[in-house]
Amino acid sequence: MLFYNQLLSVFASTFGTFLLSWILYEKTGSKLAMGTLWLVSISGQLIVQFIAGPYIDRLKEHQL
């Protein structure tokens, strides 16, 4: 159940970014702005994963 909810959340997040980038492109006509939105979105997700992953691993070690 948790896996499917997480999968739905990731899909919704990606779809939301897609819609926002489409609206941004329609308003500005700039492919650069649309690409920058994607870059910010993806880099934000990666930074959170790289910070949260090791922190969670350390937290589990301290609890054992």
Side-chain angles (χ1 to χ4, degrees):
M1 186 72 161
L2 180 62
F3 172 76
Y4 292 117
N5 287 332
Q6 183 67 25
L7 185 64
L8 181 63
S9 175
V10 169
F11 176 74
S13 175
T14 303
F15 189 67
T17 303
F18 171 73
L19 289 179
L20 285 174
S21 65
W22 191 350
I23 291 169
L24 183 64
Y25 180 72
E26 289 288 320
K27 295 285 184 185
T28 65
S30 172
K31 292 179 184 177
L32 179 64
M34 185 173 71
T36 303
L37 179 68
W38 275 100
L39 182 64
V40 168
S41 173
I42 291 171
S43 63
Q45 292 173 8
L46 287 176
I47 290 170
V48 167
Q49 289 175 359
F50 283 128
I51 291 172
Y55 178 75
I56 291 172
D57 286 342
R58 277 194 229 137
L59 185 65
K60 287 181 182 179
E61 289 175 3
H62 292 297
Q63 289 179 349
L64 296 176

